[in-house]
Amino acid sequence: MELKIYNQQNVLKATVSPGDSSTNSKGIMDDNVLTLSFKHYDCFSVDVNDYADFAGERFWALERYTPNQTSTLEWEYNIKLYGIESLIKRIINLKLVDDEMEPVFSLTAPAIEHVRLFVANINRAMSTSSWKVGEVIATPNLTVDYSGTFINKGLDEVAGLANTEWWIEDKTINLSRCEHSAEITLGYHNGLLSISRDTNENAPFFTRLFPIGSTRNIDRTYYGYSRLQLPSGNKYVEQNTQYGVIEHFEETAFATIYPRRIGTVGTVRNEQRTGEDGNPFTIYYFTDPQLNFNPNSYEIAGLVKNVVFQSGELNGRDFEVNWNQTTLEFEIITQFPYDDDTQLPGGALIPTNGDQYILYNLRMPNEYYAIAEAEFAQAVQDYMDKNKLDKSVYKAPTDYIDLTTREIDLTLGQVIRLESDEFFPGVGYRLSRITRITRKVNNPQQADIEISDTVDRGKMAALEGSIAETNHYIQTAMGGLPDIIKSWETTKPTDTNLFSARRSLREFISKKNNDSAEGLITFLQGAKFGNYSAGQSGGTIDQNGNAEMLTAVIRSMLRSTTFVDGLTGEGFGLWKDGNGLANLTLDKLTVRQTMSVMELLINKVRSVGGQMIVSAANGKIKSVVQTGTNYIITFETENTFVEHDLMRCSTFTGNALKSYWVEIASADGNTVTVPVSEFSGSVPAEGDECMLMGNTANTLRQNLISIAATEDGQPRVDVLDGVHEKNFNGCLRARLGNLD
């Protein structure tokens, strides 16, 4: 058998012949690994995302591999390629609503919505749309807190909450028990070479269950208990006690069962109100025409009535509510969960007619308790039936000759009628399914299979699950520990989350160590410095204070810690000298608009090459837009040109000469308009330095001073008057230059 290895650009790298030890191992909710051992005459590396196809599936390299040299003509390879079940371990489940791309979020929704999000993230990461949602069991709302969670871990958690499994077929993700196809009969000398029995150590086994009912909507004063009880009043149920008493308790599986009524939203209206801060907000009200009791008559002391929506745009969201027994409608208490003015309900997230909801934090009318107890009893029975499953794992190597003759192709989830009078006395067989298969690459019908009712998650996965359950009970006991915003995360702080220690150090100015702030710090009334505080005027000290101390503190905030004054100094400083004059020393100063200077002292002389013009207007072009037959020119600073000014630009940079001398048609604000016909060969552009050199109409703007050098390098100064054309003909000129 030959396999072809391609790079990620789909270019063939090599065609190889796998050795007999090459295998493909695949398990439910586990890795899918293609292990290849072969020898090759050529040395080539297997890079990340190189791939090979086997048995209709694609397998990728997740790390770079280089072979071992065994001779001058041969290289030995032992590589592992991974199926998509392993590739999703590299993809983080992000919140994709409105392109938020948030790795830390909570989602309360049925299982299918969680799977849809997983599929959307796989399509995002792989730049495709070919991944789809497959079979997903129906579930109530499941709440999962995602915090940089990879897709495989998210699938594990949702499958755990839904008490089922996840599996991938081609590019379809399923969340259901992996069991399919018509049953195939296998047994010793009937497709199997041998049979051995093992135990799934990580599958729970018990004979006595203590089911823990919910506390929601339970008022001990009326019900007699603080939790929902079984109708029989029994505290535990038993099964298979012939194996002895092995106790177990369960709470999570029954948490969503409590006395409740699923109501339906009728009419919805809203009113505009003004808050205490003076800002407007909206209050939403809704009715439920089928509600046949007064919620105010069933309040529980110390609790506030809440609704949690079960469908619609508010699906999974909780709100406090008030019930108006006059108008027969619920008032939803408006929330402001973010740091902006966004309110809930609000915008697109509002209740609508037909939305379903559940009312809680109140005791329900008596008839709802019997219904909840019956539901609780059925859930406990289902839980017991599920855990009657045989925890045994039957392992067997296949007889590939028999399977080939019978044209049997074994796959994960295949239903097996495993026949054995020895293992199953009396009945002689057991119906189960394949949970793991490891087959030879060179002969896929030659395989080692595992047949079991349950999936062995592995010891590490079981340990992680135990830790997660422990964290759940700790959080329950603590009332729910809020999420922590890490130092690198962008989650907005709210009243219901926390900063990590490092994030706190980054956000808050230290009281003990030297620190700096990235933004402006404003001290309000009564700001204190050590034992001294600023008064209400902001510039005085309270009667016990010391003005000199405050001055020293403020001064220290307006200079760098290494400030040294003078031309050879360093740092920056702003202070008042002995003459009462304010001083500012720093290295560079950039003024984007206007700087007015009463007196300018320059301690450095620079030479000027080319030509310098002194006239009534100049400017540097910021932008040029052609409109019809005109150029609209905008300057970086305030425009000083007027109508009929002759604007001159002349530059020489490298090998490019730019020169134009044009008449301005009109001026408006920071822009001037010049006909395109005024430019001959040159085009105005951003960065051009322009100056006034004459005016065709206004004699007061026809004067200028030109400082330049002759061709032999001698300087000259020309004073000109009467420049009314794009030349100096007919104007008065006084020259001082060509000096020896």
Side-chain angles (χ1 to χ4, degrees):
M1 181 178 182
E2 291 185 341
L3 283 181
K4 297 182 183 296
I5 299 178
Y6 297 86
N7 66 14
Q8 57 182 318
Q9 286 77 38
N10 303 316
V11 176
L12 180 64
K13 269 194 168 183
T15 301
V16 302
S17 299
D20 290 338
S21 62
S22 300
T23 61
N24 170 219
S25 180
K26 183 177 183 180
I28 298 175
M29 297 177 61
D30 204 350
D31 282 321
N32 184 10
V33 184
L34 180 65
T35 303
L36 299 178
S37 298
F38 58 89
K39 293 183 179 180
H40 203 269
Y41 63 86
D42 193 13
C43 176
F44 64 91
S45 63
V46 179
D47 297 310
V48 175
N49 290 335
D50 287 359
Y51 68 89
D53 293 329
F54 171 71
E57 294 185 273
R58 179 156 294 180
F59 297 84
W60 292 266
L62 300 186
E63 58 184 4
R64 195 172 191 273
Y65 175 83
T66 54
N68 298 323
Q69 187 173 14
T70 57
S71 70
T72 57
L73 299 177
E74 200 170 56
W75 296 81
E76 184 178 66
Y77 293 77
N78 292 284
I79 63 176
K80 286 186 176 182
L81 305 179
Y82 296 85
I84 189 62
E85 292 86 350
S86 301
L87 227 63
I88 61 176
K89 293 181 178 180
R90 306 191 300 179
I91 302 173
I92 293 178
N93 191 42
L94 302 178
K95 184 180 181 182
L96 301 179
V97 178
D98 298 327
D99 295 324
E100 291 185 50
M101 304 291 281
E102 282 287 348
V104 180
F105 64 99
S106 180
L107 176 60
T108 300
I112 192 169
E113 297 301 326
H114 290 269
V115 177
R116 285 192 179 119
L117 182 59
F118 297 145
V119 168
N121 274 283
I122 294 174
N123 282 326
R124 168 190 61 80
M126 295 188 171
S127 300
T128 183
S129 60
S130 57
W131 280 82
K132 304 298 179 184
V133 176
E135 180 183 68
V136 178
I137 64 172
T139 69
N141 284 340
L142 306 177
T143 299
V144 179
D145 295 321
Y146 296 102
S147 180
T149 306
F150 290 96
I151 298 295
N152 65 306
K153 293 297 184 183
L155 283 167
D156 284 345
E157 186 161 0
V158 174
L161 292 174
N163 294 314
T164 188
E165 302 161 350
W166 64 267
W167 47 287
I168 296 177
E169 186 176 19
D170 192 25
K171 293 184 178 179
T172 300
I173 295 184
N174 305 279
L175 193 87
S176 61
R177 180 175 172 82
C178 184
E179 187 173 279
H180 56 83
S181 303
E183 67 183 59
I184 294 175
T185 300
L186 295 177
Y188 180 61
H189 282 176
N190 186 20
L192 303 178
L193 298 177
S194 66
I195 303 176
S196 63
R197 180 176 179 173
D198 201 352
T199 302
N200 185 348
E201 297 178 354
N202 297 309
F205 179 74
F206 58 87
T207 61
R208 177 179 291 173
L209 173 68
F210 289 87
I212 309 300
S214 173
T215 60
R216 179 168 284 190
N217 286 359
I218 301 293
D219 188 341
R220 185 185 183 95
T221 305
Y222 290 86
Y223 185 63
Y225 303 93
S226 59
R227 291 180 178 273
L228 185 64
Q229 302 294 301
L230 291 170
S232 63
N234 293 337
K235 299 301 180 183
Y236 61 83
V237 292
E238 293 181 325
Q239 67 180 7
N240 297 327
T241 53
Q242 66 270 22
Y243 298 117
V245 176
I246 303 173
E247 295 184 332
H248 177 70
F249 84 96
E250 178 62 34
E251 179 180 11
T252 304
F254 314 123
T256 59
I257 301 173
Y258 54 91
R260 66 196 187 280
R261 170 187 176 272
I262 299 179
T264 303
V265 173
T267 59
V268 178
R269 68 180 183 90
N270 62 78
E271 293 183 0
Q272 297 295 316
R273 299 286 180 84
T274 301
E276 296 179 356
D277 56 1
N279 295 323
F281 68 98
T282 305
I283 296 180
Y284 284 84
Y285 302 84
F286 72 88
T287 65
D288 181 350
Q290 304 302 318
L291 184 64
N292 58 2
F293 64 92
N294 180 2
N296 291 345
S297 300
Y298 292 87
E299 293 180 343
I300 299 177
L303 297 181
V304 178
K305 291 186 292 292
N306 276 56
V307 297
V308 54
F309 285 91
Q310 304 296 297
S311 63
E313 296 298 331
L314 295 176
N315 185 28
R317 295 184 181 271
D318 281 70
F319 295 92
E320 293 183 7
V321 293
N322 292 323
W323 170 255
N324 189 320
Q325 55 193 29
T326 301
T327 62
L328 300 181
E329 60 185 358
F330 288 104
E331 173 194 349
I332 302 179
I333 304 303
T334 306
Q335 299 176 1
F336 295 87
Y338 311 111
D339 284 343
D340 52 22
D341 293 331
T342 302
Q343 73 163 63
L344 287 179
L349 301 177
I350 60 174
T352 57
N353 177 263
D355 288 352
Q356 292 186 325
Y357 72 95
I358 292 177
L359 188 63
Y360 70 94
N361 278 357
L362 78 167
R363 63 180 180 87
M364 299 292 290
N366 293 336
E367 60 266 25
Y368 289 97
Y369 288 84
I371 297 173
E373 288 177 349
E375 183 183 1
F376 185 25
Q378 184 60 52
V380 170
Q381 185 59 53
D382 293 343
Y383 190 84
M384 297 292 285
D385 291 342
K386 177 183 175 182
N387 284 279
K388 286 180 182 177
L389 296 173
D390 189 351
K391 306 303 185 293
S392 299
V393 179
Y394 299 91
K395 300 181 179 181
T398 62
D399 181 350
Y400 70 89
I401 297 176
D402 180 84
L403 296 183
T404 302
T405 302
R406 294 161 61 186
E407 297 182 347
I408 292 175
D409 184 19
L410 299 178
T411 60
L412 284 182
Q414 172 67 57
V415 177
I416 300 295
R417 177 187 171 100
L418 183 60
E419 294 185 338
S420 173
D421 291 332
E422 290 75 21
F423 284 108
F424 316 113
V427 293
Y429 72 93
R430 176 172 184 77
L431 282 179
S432 192
R433 44 69 187 269
I434 296 177
T435 57
R436 176 172 293 278
I437 183 168
T438 302
R439 50 192 169 180
K440 297 289 188 180
V441 171
N442 288 333
N443 185 1
Q445 297 286 50
Q446 184 179 357
D448 292 319
I449 63 174
E450 295 183 8
I451 302 171
S452 176
D453 288 337
T454 59
V455 176
D456 188 347
R457 296 182 297 161
K459 293 183 178 180
M460 281 305 296
L463 178 60
E464 291 173 357
S466 298
I467 293 173
E469 290 178 8
T470 302
N471 287 339
H472 167 75
Y473 288 114
I474 291 175
Q475 290 185 4
T476 301
M478 295 178 64
L481 183 65
D483 286 340
I484 296 176
I485 305 175
K486 310 297 192 306
S487 59
W488 66 89
E489 292 174 346
T490 58
T491 305
K492 291 182 178 180
T494 69
D495 290 338
T496 56
N497 55 27
L498 301 173
F499 277 158
S500 68
R502 288 185 176 177
R503 180 63 177 268
S504 297
L505 288 175
R506 196 183 76 177
E507 293 284 338
F508 308 123
I509 294 178
S510 174
K511 297 179 180 179
K512 298 179 63 177
N513 304 313
N514 294 335
D515 211 340
S516 60
E518 297 179 3
L520 177 65
I521 302 298
T522 302
F523 294 95
L524 303 177
Q525 300 180 21
K528 294 186 177 181
F529 303 87
N531 294 324
Y532 305 95
S533 58
Q536 293 186 355
S537 65
T540 63
I541 303 299
D542 61 13
Q543 58 183 357
N544 298 319
N546 187 318
E548 293 181 359
M549 174 60 73
L550 178 59
T551 302
V553 171
I554 296 176
R555 181 183 296 122
S556 67
M557 297 170 60
L558 298 179
R559 66 174 62 188
S560 60
T561 56
T562 59
F563 174 64
V564 178
D565 195 18
L567 294 177
T568 60
E570 63 179 6
F572 68 90
L574 173 62
W575 76 99
K576 183 178 291 187
D577 61 21
N579 297 320
L581 300 177
N583 290 256
L584 173 64
T585 299
L586 65 166
D587 297 318
K588 291 183 177 181
L589 176 64
T590 299
V591 181
R592 291 190 177 89
Q593 293 296 325
T594 302
M595 182 173 69
S596 299
V597 182
M598 302 300 108
E599 181 179 355
L600 183 63
L601 177 62
I602 300 176
N603 290 328
K604 188 170 184 177
V605 177
R606 296 184 179 223
S607 63
V608 178
Q611 185 179 20
M612 179 181 291
I613 300 297
V614 180
S615 61
N618 65 85
K620 186 175 183 179
I621 293 179
K622 180 180 181 181
S623 64
V624 179
V625 177
Q626 183 174 351
T627 304
T629 59
N630 295 316
Y631 284 124
I632 307 300
I633 299 173
T634 303
F635 296 100
E636 291 185 353
T637 57
E638 184 180 356
N639 173 42
T640 52
F641 290 97
V642 300
E643 184 180 6
H644 300 306
D645 274 353
L646 297 175
M647 184 175 70
R648 177 84 162 123
C649 173
S650 181
T651 61
F652 184 81
T653 303
N655 297 321
L657 174 64
K658 171 178 284 191
S659 178
Y660 52 82
W661 200 348
V662 298
E663 182 177 357
I664 294 175
S666 63
D668 182 16
N670 283 353
T671 65
V672 297
T673 300
V674 182
V676 175
S677 59
E678 285 286 307
F679 297 88
S680 178
S682 294
V683 177
E686 177 184 351
D688 286 357
E689 296 278 1
C690 301
M691 67 288 297
L692 173 65
M693 293 185 67
N695 185 290
T696 60
N698 188 347
T699 58
L700 297 179
R701 297 180 67 84
Q702 296 176 350
N703 313 308
L704 62 98
I705 299 175
S706 172
I707 304 174
T710 60
E711 294 182 357
D712 59 1
Q714 292 294 322
R716 70 170 186 266
V717 177
D718 287 334
V719 180
L720 298 98
D721 182 36
V723 180
H724 60 282
E725 296 179 349
K726 301 167 189 174
N727 54 57
F728 298 133
N729 297 332
C731 69
L732 299 176
R733 182 199 302 262
R735 169 170 292 182
L736 175 65
N738 292 343
L739 302 176
D740 292 331

